[in-house]
Amino acid sequence: MPQTVVPIRAATQPAAPPGPQRTSAADLDRLLHAWQSRFTGGHSPSTASLAFLDWAAHALNAPFETAEFGRTAVEHWQRLARIALGTEALLPLPEGDRRFADPAWSQHPYKLVVQAVLLGEQWCESLVQSPDGMDPGNRRIMGFNTRQFLDMVSPSNWPWFNPEVVAATRATGGRNLIEGFSNLLADKAAARGPAQDDPHFRLGIDVAATPGKVVLRNALMELIQYTPTTPMVGAEPVLIVPAWIMKYYILDLSPGNSMIRWLVGQGRTVFAISWRNPDASMRDTTLDDYRSIGIMAALDAVQAICGPAKVHAAGYCLGGTLLAIAAAAMARDGDAQLASLTLLAAQTDFTEAGELQLFITDDQLDFLGDVMGAQGFLSANQMGGAFQMLRANDLVWSRGIHDYLLGKHDAPNDLMAWNADGTRLPARMHMEYLRGLFLHNDLAEGRFRVGDRPVALADIRLPIFAVGTERDHIAPWRSVFKLHLLNDSALTFVLTSGGHNAGIVSEPGHPRRSFRMRLRAHDGRSPGPDEWRAETAPQDGSWWLAWGDWLAAQSGPPVAPPAMGAALADAPGAYVREH
């Protein structure tokens, strides 16, 4: 097995001829776009402008319908007056809206402010959604941008309008605002330093602490083999392929909620890929490099250590999508190394990929390509900003109120520490992923090519275990569910409570966890997602236990643990520490 780091490839651009080079107009535009991205969070200003022009053109061309909104505004004011007089019932808060959850918002005069906000938001959102004929993508962008603006100007964000902040300021004599300013300064300082400096969650000690050895290192990843803890293990090893958008130890957090440690304790020989944190030198790394130098190299190493036993492969998020691509290419080429396939919150069809689609347009991707071309990668802050805006109330404004206006600070936890430990994404790989999968849906529609030939998910002939999470805003469960339409192998689908991260990190014993699970037999009937949910009863507890039973059903008799591979370093290795 290779044990040294070698370059992934030489630069793909031809060598520049000698002599001074003139900067082209296109180069200057790219520099302009890179500069603009500092103020737009990496979003193309043209995308928002085009969406607004589309809305404005259709609104102007429907003058009578648009004029109706003047009458609707008057009706809303009249309704607010009736609410103030007590002759009409209060509007309920939208489901999941926690801005006005504090009891003080239900008292005068604040409850009238809440009602004015709800009526105003209804009016604004119906206005931007009203004209017929708009491009659906532009309609979604207009709705999203309007929502962002309304969230920003909500009175809950202003200390003199928020009764909870007013009460705290009176009670503490303004101490809450001093503490909040201190929290703001501390957060700013932490953002400038490596997230791994958190003294509460040290890599290899408090998190990513499952004992093991790095048994393979190449230019893109380290492969970790975990030390067995049981006298007998499953004959087939488990290979975990995490997403490269974040560090792998989301699946190896604290000992009590580490999926990897739990698997080892269940008598599994476990290997996990730890991806390298790319820098500008890796700008030309491709999506197929992640497959070949990542998954395929790891599979070869696992079988070199464990012998000819087939491998249970499990992929999380982008790692699951890549694993599905690799499995389809292996099926096409007659490669039978895999025993089963587990996909955790991983999409294979991107036609309903949730609100992330708002950022996936040709214009936006051209702009993003210029931004990444200037720096060679997409930074963790740029990617994290997009995810935060999808849940701005929860991740931006509510946190700002809690930390900076009320002066509170939640005790850190392992998931928060992991979430702050971001990674970069190579420019070329990220554009291939966004264009080929998100924008054009090449994998689901049979156009995605591996080795100059297309692959088909229908070719995979393996038992599949797929998990979606109920509140996933990154890989919506109905999108994950579409694998039923792309492959007719025996497919066990699980819908678990929680979101993209907490729904997967759902260890046994965690309170208030539940899941639904149902097998679609080989060549069996595939219901629609809502029909499936209605027909599948929930079960209390962790889906990990059901997955453990499923792995056991796909495995042969237990054997003695295989010898550990040649150790290059102790787990968690070197790549996870790169920042």
Side-chain angles (χ1 to χ4, degrees):
M1 290 177 291
Q3 298 183 359
T4 58
V5 177
V6 295
I8 294 177
R9 62 163 46 74
T12 58
Q13 299 298 323
Q21 297 295 303
R22 234 173 94 182
T23 302
S24 70
D27 291 332
L28 292 174
D29 285 339
R30 279 190 284 271
L31 291 173
L32 172 64
H33 296 162
W35 175 79
Q36 288 174 337
S37 72
R38 299 180 183 181
F39 307 98
T40 65
H43 303 147
S44 168
S46 302
T47 300
S49 301
L50 290 170
F52 176 78
L53 289 173
D54 190 3
W55 171 82
H58 284 87
L60 289 172
N61 200 38
F64 300 105
E65 180 183 358
T66 303
E68 278 289 294
F69 282 92
R71 181 180 59 80
T72 306
V74 173
E75 289 178 350
H76 277 46
W77 280 109
Q78 292 172 340
R79 186 174 183 183
L80 182 62
R82 292 194 296 272
I83 291 173
L85 294 172
T87 59
E88 186 163 334
L90 298 174
L91 277 72
L93 291 176
E95 184 179 359
D97 189 343
R98 296 193 292 271
R99 292 175 298 171
F100 309 115
D102 189 89
W105 284 105
S106 63
Q107 306 299 317
H108 283 296
Y110 296 108
K111 73 176 182 180
L112 195 59
V113 173
V114 173
Q115 295 300 298
V117 168
L118 296 180
L119 287 167
E121 289 179 346
Q122 284 182 7
W123 184 84
C124 289
E125 290 172 353
S126 62
L127 176 64
V128 298
Q129 296 294 328
S130 65
D132 292 331
M134 281 184 68
D135 175 81
N138 286 338
R139 190 184 298 278
R140 288 195 298 267
I141 291 169
M142 276 297 294
F144 176 80
N145 289 340
T146 301
R147 185 73 253 172
Q148 296 300 306
F149 175 76
L150 294 173
D151 288 345
M152 180 181 67
V153 301
S154 172
S156 58
N157 298 331
W158 306 96
W160 47 86
F161 280 128
N162 189 319
E164 191 177 3
V165 177
V166 171
T169 304
R170 285 175 177 168
T172 65
R175 182 74 185 173
N176 59 302
L177 298 178
I178 297 173
E179 291 290 341
F181 186 66
S182 176
N183 291 342
L184 177 64
L185 294 179
D187 286 349
K188 292 291 186 184
R192 292 192 294 268
Q196 300 163 8
D197 288 345
D198 190 326
H200 303 94
F201 299 101
R202 297 160 294 175
L203 285 172
I205 300 173
D206 306 301
V207 293
T210 303
K213 302 291 183 183
V214 175
V215 295
L216 170 67
R217 178 184 296 126
N218 62 31
L220 196 53
M221 62 90 177
E222 291 179 327
L223 181 66
I224 301 171
Q225 180 183 4
Y226 291 94
T227 305
T229 60
T230 56
M232 303 293 283
V233 297
E236 298 82 3
V238 176
L239 171 64
I240 293 177
V241 183
W244 53 87
I245 193 173
M246 297 292 280
K247 301 292 178 69
Y248 84 94
Y249 64 92
I250 178 64
L251 301 178
D252 189 22
L253 290 172
S254 302
N257 61 356
S258 165
M259 177 185 286
I260 288 173
R261 186 180 290 258
W262 178 82
L263 278 172
V264 172
Q266 296 296 302
R268 291 287 161 192
T269 299
V270 180
F271 294 80
I273 290 174
S274 173
W275 299 108
R276 191 174 186 182
N277 193 359
D279 56 23
S281 68
M282 296 173 63
R283 66 172 60 242
D284 289 318
T285 303
T286 67
L287 183 59
D288 195 60
D289 288 329
Y290 276 80
R291 181 195 65 86
S292 59
I293 303 176
I295 292 177
M296 301 312 296
L299 283 171
D300 290 343
V302 169
Q303 291 206 311
I305 292 169
C306 297
K310 294 186 177 183
V311 178
H312 295 301
Y316 177 34
C317 188
L318 302 187
T321 303
L322 183 68
L323 180 59
I325 292 170
M330 294 167 71
R332 180 199 66 188
D333 299 337
D335 186 333
Q337 292 183 81
L338 297 182
S340 72
L341 189 64
T342 295
L343 302 177
L344 309 177
Q347 299 176 93
T348 50
D349 182 298
F350 290 81
T351 53
E352 296 182 82
E355 289 190 329
L356 278 175
Q357 288 178 303
L358 291 163
F359 307 124
I360 311 299
T361 65
D362 279 312
D363 174 75
Q364 173 60 38
L365 294 188
D366 284 343
F367 184 84
L368 186 61
D370 287 346
V371 173
M372 292 193 296
Q375 58 194 28
F377 54 80
L378 187 70
S379 72
N381 288 338
Q382 289 167 322
M383 178 58 72
F387 288 135
Q388 282 189 326
M389 296 315 293
L390 294 179
R391 297 172 58 203
N393 261 333
D394 292 335
L395 301 180
V396 179
W397 305 117
S398 293
R399 184 192 170 195
I401 294 167
H402 180 272
D403 289 6
Y404 309 141
L405 297 183
L406 296 176
K408 301 176 182 179
H409 230 321
D410 290 332
N413 59 47
D414 51 5
L415 193 58
M416 291 168 60
W418 167 83
N419 194 56
D421 193 7
T423 61
R424 295 172 291 274
L425 302 175
R428 182 172 172 181
M429 178 283 301
H430 196 47
M431 289 304 296
E432 289 176 347
Y433 173 78
L434 292 178
R435 285 197 183 278
L437 299 179
F438 257 100
L439 187 62
H440 299 307
N441 204 31
D442 285 345
L443 178 60
E445 296 180 12
R447 294 185 299 271
F448 194 90
R449 305 177 77 84
V450 174
D452 295 326
R453 289 189 293 153
V455 298
L457 295 169
D459 290 341
I460 299 173
R461 294 290 185 267
L462 297 169
I464 299 174
F465 192 94
V467 180
T469 66
E470 289 180 340
R471 297 194 304 275
D472 200 326
H473 63 290
I474 297 173
W477 77 266
R478 289 175 177 81
S479 180
V480 175
F481 188 88
K482 286 193 170 188
L483 184 60
H484 284 83
L485 307 178
L486 303 174
N487 183 278
D488 61 6
S489 296
L491 171 58
T492 299
F493 188 79
V494 170
L495 177 61
T496 182
S497 58
H500 187 73
N501 297 324
I504 300 302
V505 183
S506 183
E507 70 281 3
H510 194 294
R512 298 179 300 279
R513 293 297 190 191
S514 64
F515 65 96
R516 303 168 192 264
M517 184 173 75
R518 183 169 163 187
L519 168 67
R520 193 279 313 272
H522 173 61
D523 286 333
R525 171 181 170 270
S526 295
D530 295 315
E531 179 186 3
W532 181 95
R533 192 180 192 280
E535 294 175 350
T536 308
Q539 307 176 47
D540 290 332
S542 169
W543 64 267
W544 289 11
L545 299 174
W547 184 39
D549 292 341
W550 183 87
L551 285 173
Q554 318 303 322
S555 302
V559 298
M564 297 290 289
L568 303 179
D570 289 333
Y575 283 175
V576 73
R577 302 181 189 277
E578 292 181 334
H579 52 76

